[in-house]
Amino acid sequence: MKKTFQERILFWKNRKTKQYPWLRLPIAAIALLCIVVCRIGILAAGNGKKWMSVGIACCFFLINSSFCYPETMQMSEDAGEKFPEVYEELDRLRQEDPDTDMLEKIWKENQAYLEREKEEQIAPKEAADETDETNSFDKNDWRLTLVNKQHTISEDYEFPLGTIKGNLQCDERILEDLNAMLKAAKEEGIDLNIDSPYRDYKTQKYLFNRKMEKYLSKGYSYLEAYRVASTVVTVPNASEHQIGLAIDFNCKSHPSLNEGFADTETGKWLREHCAEYGFILRYPKGKEYITGIIYEPWHFRYVGKEAAEFLTEKEITLEEFWEEYLN
Ligand code: ZN
């Protein structure tokens, strides 16, 4: 919560007033006494003008103390509601050192607060610059399409299906970068093999149901089986494989799709070079709570070179990218 110095001082004064509400009565009594004395003085000395001035001054004081104090107290309660942190801060300061001049201490704290504020003003500017830099990303860009359990594939999503080789297919528009990556790996002696690229709804449904049956046969309840299965195999219509932008890779020395692939030369090479060809490791370790999918060192997603390098450098998932830079 941001507090100006004036707010702090006002509150401090108000709190002090609130601590001594009994002051109001004696002040009013003293003022009344002054008027009485003035009146007697006028009568006794006959020096009208001089004593009248004193009387007016006393009346002013009386009015001031009678009307301003209750108002100030009301403000004090408001201040407590608006600035509860100030209450706590003052209590803390008092407890720390009851003898210190409170105003001086608040002044020092305020100086430190202003310094911090100045630094914060510099920081948001840098952040703004960064946002500008990412403004080149367009949320309608097909390469950035977000598909997960919360964002299933829309019914009208269309894309051109291209052939990698044989019956292996993917979005035709990623073929050039994908082939470049396969070629580069080959040239560097990396055994990079495509395990599973595009899958249609029927295949995804079959894979998911097969996993469901596995957990149901183990005695899981339907809901529990669904919960576990959906972290291992993507729910139909929530799979990036269905839009032809995801590829599962493996290698001869490690044909299984499991965590062990991460330690193979192929797995390491992919992590290091995929962004150069527009791919990202889509379900990284430690981000399962964001993606909703287990660590999959074999599953890579095409997002385009610019976004791939941005996401890799920032170490963020596609979900975080959408949340922070595209919404
Ligand atoms: Zn996959």
Side-chain angles (χ1 to χ4, degrees), residues 199 241 248 296 298-299:
R199 287 199 289 263
H241 285 284
D248 292 339
E296 294 194 352
W298 62 87
H299 179 112

Side-chain angles (χ1 to χ4, degrees), residues 126-141:
E126 281 172 2
D129 288 344
E130 225 167 56
T131 312
D132 285 341
E133 178 196 316
T134 63
N135 277 346
S136 54
F137 294 118
D138 178 5
K139 55 160 60 169
N140 296 315
D141 187 338

Side-chain angles (χ1 to χ4, degrees), residues 36-53:
V36 174
V37 170
C38 288
R39 188 68 193 153
I40 294 167
I42 290 162
L43 290 172
N47 198 350
K49 279 182 185 173
K50 185 180 173 185
W51 288 105
M52 189 57 80
S53 309

